[in-house]
Amino acid sequence: MARSVLADAARVARWADTALGPGRACGTTDGKATLSVTSAELAGRELGLTTAQVQADWDIARLAGLVEVHGDSARPGWRLRAWDRDDSAVLRGWVALFDAWSLAHPEPAGQEPAAVAEVVSAMPQVLSFLQLSAGPVPVAQLLDLLQQRVTELRTERCEVPYDGPRPDLPEQPEQPEDDDTPLDPLLDWALGALASVGALTYGDGQATLTPLGNWAVWVKLEQICVAAQSPAGNIEQAAEDMLRGCAQLRPNAARAEYRAWLAARPVGSAVTELLKAARGEDALLRGLAFEALRVVGAPAEPDVRAVADEPTLRPYALLWLAEHDGADPEDAHEVLTRQEATWLWVDTAAAVADHGEAPMLVRHLESAIQPTVPMLLDEVRAVGHPRTVQVLVALAAAHPDPALAKAVRRAAFQVHTGGS
């Protein structure tokens, strides 16, 4: 079902891979990562779609990680590369779209931003009720539940003692002035948006979770990570598959697998293969590849030093070289500039969002070098990592602090739209 939901987006992403690659027509011209009108019209003619359909599918492809935009050019994301061979990549792409439902289907004009944020924060409870109901639920019942949850959120904010601004959190929310804002249109928007991403069906005055939506809610409620078991025969696998097989192993067991894999092939070709895997779009594999290169040790130094100028690999290479030169692993991060450290934080967060559990992503927030969350968000937005929107949306969905989650969602929206 995830494949069918994302099929149109994948089709446009594959078209972009062919038509908007290096030396071809520019795909983004407004600095907001939106498909240019000229490119959208060209895609529409070739794919038999309207320009609006192409632009909508392009937007979904970006949110699902099927396509990544770098400056004014686009390239396929790792999920699109793995589309035909890895069902979990397709499923993770859909989960990313599910988490970003409020971006995929923006709220109607004229709504109070505070009320919109409250509804977004309240929808997990509505979805949980739908999941527990295991069948159609009247919209009127969902509206009552939504109103109760929004009231609880407003009460919780008012009960928080206020001792002046805290530098480590977004600005403190004031007492809401929109208590009388009708929630009917916002519930209609939220249910329609969730239906548009395949999480539920909505019509005839009732809503029902789809099997895919039921699975997603269950996973998030139970904080269960969908992860493949380590496959047998890692020694015979290519580097990328070997690294995927080791992803769920404990560090010592993974290092044993790396040593066995390295022993079965010439060092030069093994290093080349690991660096090729590190250049892919899956941030988890990037980190694991450099862990395997640490097992290689000195023979890998020339190759690692040679890739230190590649933006995607530079933070990892600099840390590897610092440790190789004798730096304490706890202090090796000092060789990175602030921008490189921020880029690495986003890249690592992308790996956690793709392959880890929600609490891990929340804990990752504490590892940022920025002393406050607003400073982190400002620098994350400026660093230009292609997965920034997905990381921020996942962090907002995972974080238990409503005020912080709201600020992170706002930052995700600003990156998504190219605003400030």
Side-chain angles (χ1 to χ4, degrees):
M1 185 174 179
R3 287 185 183 275
S4 64
V5 172
L6 294 175
D8 291 340
R11 187 182 178 205
V12 169
R14 291 191 188 282
W15 174 87
D17 183 22
T18 301
L20 305 182
R24 300 181 178 88
C26 174
T28 61
T29 57
D30 60 358
K32 299 180 181 179
T34 53
L35 197 65
S36 69
V37 174
T38 300
S39 296
E41 291 174 346
L42 176 61
R45 288 194 296 271
E46 295 186 5
L47 300 177
L49 302 172
T50 66
T51 300
Q53 287 174 321
V54 171
Q55 291 171 328
D57 291 339
W58 171 266
D59 205 36
I60 290 174
R62 289 170 51 218
L63 292 173
L66 298 177
V67 67
E68 296 177 355
V69 175
H70 299 257
D72 61 356
S73 62
R75 75 181 186 192
W78 73 271
R79 288 167 182 156
L80 185 67
R81 294 297 192 202
W83 181 271
D84 294 326
R85 60 177 171 79
D86 189 350
D87 289 341
S88 68
V90 178
L91 197 57
R92 292 181 196 283
W94 181 82
V95 170
L97 180 63
F98 172 71
D99 284 340
W101 63 267
S102 60
L103 298 180
H105 193 83
E107 72 275 9
Q111 296 295 326
E112 289 288 341
V116 172
E118 288 167 343
V119 169
V120 172
S121 297
M123 284 309 293
Q125 185 166 329
V126 174
L127 290 170
S128 176
F129 182 77
L130 280 166
Q131 197 260 351
L132 292 172
S133 299
V137 177
V139 172
Q141 193 172 357
L142 295 178
L143 180 60
D144 287 342
L145 178 63
L146 178 65
Q147 289 172 331
Q148 292 174 22
R149 181 56 185 150
V150 168
T151 299
E152 290 172 359
L153 290 171
R154 292 170 178 169
T155 302
E156 289 169 4
R157 287 206 306 273
C158 293
E159 289 177 350
V160 174
Y162 183 71
D163 299 320
R166 286 182 55 186
D168 60 329
L169 289 176
E171 61 183 51
Q172 303 297 314
E174 298 179 356
Q175 173 131 10
E177 298 178 356
D178 57 346
D179 288 5
D180 296 328
T181 301
L183 298 181
D184 311 53
L186 288 175
L187 177 62
D188 179 69
W189 158 67
L191 293 175
L194 287 161
S196 74
V197 301
L200 52 81
T201 59
Y202 175 42
D204 297 326
Q206 60 187 20
T208 310
L209 283 180
T210 63
L212 194 59
N214 186 75
W215 169 84
V217 174
W218 178 76
V219 167
K220 289 185 177 298
L221 287 174
E222 299 297 328
Q223 296 183 336
I224 293 176
C225 175
V226 177
Q229 298 295 317
S230 177
N234 284 325
I235 294 176
E236 288 76 29
Q237 300 295 324
E240 181 175 333
D241 293 329
M242 180 273 293
L243 294 171
R244 289 190 189 282
C246 293
Q248 301 304 315
L249 300 179
R250 294 183 178 275
N252 287 339
R255 281 192 288 271
E257 288 289 304
Y258 301 153
R259 282 192 290 269
W261 185 85
L262 291 165
R265 48 193 41 80
V267 172
S269 62
V271 170
T272 299
E273 199 171 343
L274 287 170
L275 288 174
K276 180 180 178 181
R279 290 187 179 96
E281 285 80 12
D282 191 338
L284 177 65
L285 297 192
R286 190 155 31 253
L288 293 178
F290 276 86
E291 287 299 320
L293 289 168
R294 286 178 172 84
V295 175
V296 176
E301 179 183 2
D303 296 274
V304 173
R305 199 171 294 279
V307 303
D309 290 332
E310 297 183 26
T312 301
L313 302 185
R314 181 173 176 78
Y316 294 93
L318 292 179
L319 290 177
W320 190 99
L321 291 168
E323 294 177 27
H324 177 69
D325 291 338
D328 188 315
E330 295 287 333
D331 302 324
H333 67 278
E334 295 177 0
V335 303
L336 302 180
T337 65
R338 193 176 179 102
Q339 184 177 22
E340 291 164 349
T342 301
W343 194 99
L344 181 61
W345 185 90
V346 179
D347 206 46
T348 306
V352 175
D354 284 341
H355 302 279
E357 298 179 353
M360 292 175 61
L361 191 59
V362 175
R363 289 195 298 272
H364 184 60
L365 185 63
E366 302 172 0
S367 70
I369 62 172
Q370 289 77 7
T372 69
V373 171
M375 289 178 65
L376 171 64
L377 295 178
D378 285 343
E379 294 184 31
V380 163
R381 289 169 52 195
V383 80
H385 193 290
R387 295 291 306 283
T388 298
V389 171
Q390 286 85 3
V391 164
L392 293 178
V393 167
L395 179 58
H399 207 284
D401 185 325
L404 190 147
K406 177 181 176 182
V408 175
R409 275 195 302 272
R410 185 189 305 120
F413 180 79
Q414 289 167 344
V415 175
H416 178 65
T417 60
S420 58

